[in-house]
Amino acid sequence: MSKFAPLKNDLILRAARGEKVERPPIWVMRQAGRYLPEYHVVKGANNFFVCCRDDELASTITIQPVDHYDGLIDAAIIFSDILVIPQAMGMVVDILDKIGPHFPEPLRIPEDLKKLSVDVDVKKELAWAFNSITATRKKLDGRVPLLGFCGGPWTLMVYMIEGGGTKLFRYAKTWLYMYPEATHELLQRITDVAIEFLAQQVVAGAQMLQVFESWAGELGPKEFQEFSLPYLIQIITGLRKRLLELGITEHIPVTCFPKGAMYSLDWLADTDYDVISLDWTIDPAEAIKIANGRVVLQGNLDPGIIYGSDEVISKKVEEMISGFGGGKQGYIVNLGHGTQPFMDPAKLGHFMKECHRFGSA
């Protein structure tokens, strides 16, 4: 592992380990991105994936929110995308302006699995991602920890089959209920790549990881237990084993975010994940009751509140932190999902300042 500067702010790592802290740490999903004016200056006319694959651009964009909200943010998350795993598996993925991800040749029938690479050389296919992490970790110079991430297997499967974002999930659901064997084969292949991808991010310099199961809410509880939970468990158990094989004995905190599936909190709290990220559809007090000290909780302000007045943001932050018992143990502040391009950076800054104020009380 490369040599990096000593960490000056390890608040999020201590919180993720369940230690008592002076205030709850803060970071925000999609904190590097389109809502910040400086992002557009650096991105320029470059394609989204060009920015991800250029370690100078990616590291600069990753650190922008840490600079913009100097002293307010307790972690950086690498500027990348969950869809790099399908790319590594041999699929073409574009990000179309104002449309989002697009797969020109989605997997529509089980025979299409032949289009995927059989033995994915993760270190080779995603070398650029690891280079970006190492470059960013060096540039951060120990200011805050650097987070890596990947998409959850079910979520990645949805994109690979639907060919992009969807409201109907027609093709993905067809696979679940028409081709269950092929579905499990695909989920397993994604899982195997995800484990190695996460492990190599740690080798490159990531100090904490998150698994985004962003489409979890499209599964009912029984379907989640069949098509998502077993693979999420495989990821965390397989990752722990792989890190030891790679000679990494330090405990790396890992978060799981099953968006829209808050019914899964009780099950996920019994896994080896350190942190479960919550969306805004669950009451903090209820989440604490369910988790019962088994896992650290992260979240869970509705991102839409950032469109509100300063007074409303302050009130909602106070309610949230109070709901999580003051946040000085077992809690990490975040939104219930990512930022949106239309958000006012000053409003997000007010949110962070209020998190500091109420979290330090």
Side-chain angles (χ1 to χ4, degrees):
M1 202 183 295
S2 307
K3 294 291 180 190
F4 301 110
L7 201 50
K8 297 163 192 154
N9 175 355
D10 66 346
L11 184 63
I12 194 168
L13 302 182
R14 287 187 284 126
R17 290 194 293 262
E19 297 176 19
K20 287 187 176 176
V21 290
E22 54 275 24
R23 64 169 174 82
I26 305 166
W27 72 280
V28 176
M29 288 182 249
R30 223 179 282 136
Q31 66 186 26
R34 292 179 290 171
Y35 75 98
L36 283 175
E38 54 266 44
Y39 165 79
H40 299 279
V41 174
V42 171
K43 181 179 181 289
N46 290 307
N47 172 282
F48 175 84
F49 281 118
V50 168
C51 292
C52 293
R53 289 167 181 265
D54 182 306
D55 55 36
E56 178 57 35
L57 290 174
S59 58
T60 299
I61 292 169
T62 298
I63 296 171
Q64 281 180 340
V66 180
D67 288 338
H68 191 105
Y69 301 109
D70 190 31
L72 294 176
I73 286 185
D74 297 302
I77 183 165
I78 193 69
F79 182 73
S80 186
D81 195 272
I82 63 170
L83 300 179
V84 302
I85 285 179
Q87 286 179 329
M89 295 174 75
M91 296 191 80
V92 175
V93 187
D94 302 315
I95 300 285
L96 303 181
D97 196 33
K98 295 182 180 164
I99 294 175
H102 172 67
F103 290 68
E105 293 186 41
L107 309 174
R108 288 287 161 83
I109 53 173
E111 287 72 20
D112 288 340
L113 289 173
K114 293 173 187 169
K115 296 176 184 176
L116 300 178
S117 306
V118 179
D119 295 308
V120 180
D121 185 340
V122 174
K123 279 182 80 171
K124 176 175 171 252
E125 295 297 330
L126 295 172
W128 58 268
F130 309 129
N131 291 339
S132 289
I133 286 171
T134 303
T136 305
R137 178 85 186 268
K138 286 177 177 171
K139 274 195 198 178
L140 277 168
D141 197 35
R143 290 168 67 189
V144 291
L146 178 60
L147 277 57
F149 68 93
C150 78
W154 155 247
T155 298
L156 295 180
M157 177 185 142
V158 168
Y159 282 109
M160 293 163 80
I161 290 172
E162 294 288 343
T166 178
K167 290 181 179 175
L168 300 179
F169 297 83
R170 170 190 167 191
Y171 299 108
K173 294 288 178 88
T174 298
W175 272 62
L176 292 190
Y177 304 120
M178 187 76 78
Y179 315 124
E181 286 182 18
T183 293
H184 283 295
E185 180 187 339
L186 178 53
L187 289 167
Q188 188 60 58
R189 288 169 72 172
I190 294 167
T191 299
D192 293 343
V193 176
I195 290 168
E196 185 65 13
F197 180 43
L198 289 172
Q200 293 299 336
Q201 287 184 67
V202 175
V203 172
Q207 293 152 287
M208 186 169 172
L209 301 165
Q210 180 155 317
V211 179
F212 286 84
E213 191 69 290
S214 307
W215 289 127
E218 287 304 317
L219 296 172
K222 285 184 180 175
E223 288 71 32
F224 184 88
Q225 287 185 301
E226 181 177 355
F227 298 111
S228 178
L229 185 61
Y231 300 99
L232 293 173
I233 291 171
Q234 269 196 59
I235 285 175
I236 190 61
T237 55
L239 173 64
R240 297 280 180 227
K241 182 182 172 204
R242 182 66 179 129
L243 288 174
L244 288 175
E245 289 172 357
L246 291 165
I248 296 166
T249 54
E250 176 192 355
H251 184 82
I252 303 297
V254 185
T255 302
C256 183
F257 180 36
K259 184 177 182 294
M262 295 298 97
Y263 57 75
S264 67
L265 175 57
D266 189 34
W267 306 326
L268 286 165
D270 267 341
T271 68
D272 287 332
Y273 286 99
D274 302 274
V275 183
I276 305 301
S277 202
L278 310 173
D279 64 33
W280 60 95
T281 64
I282 188 167
D283 182 75
E286 177 68 12
I288 285 178
K289 187 175 162 188
I290 294 167
N292 196 25
R294 290 175 291 168
V295 70
V296 172
L297 299 173
Q298 173 177 276
N300 69 333
L301 197 76
D302 177 357
I305 288 167
I306 303 301
Y307 294 120
S309 67
D310 284 356
E311 293 75 19
V312 168
I313 293 170
S314 298
K315 178 170 173 283
K316 294 296 183 180
V317 166
E318 184 178 18
E319 286 174 0
M320 175 179 71
I321 291 177
S322 171
F324 284 107
K328 290 190 173 65
Q329 187 171 18
Y331 177 54
I332 296 168
V333 174
N334 210 312
L335 299 178
H337 199 210
T339 66
Q340 297 170 6
F342 317 102
M343 287 179 174
D344 179 353
K347 293 281 186 186
L348 199 64
H350 178 70
F351 157 74
M352 292 177 192
K353 285 171 187 168
E354 293 298 78
C355 288
H356 276 255
R357 180 162 74 98
F358 292 113
S360 301

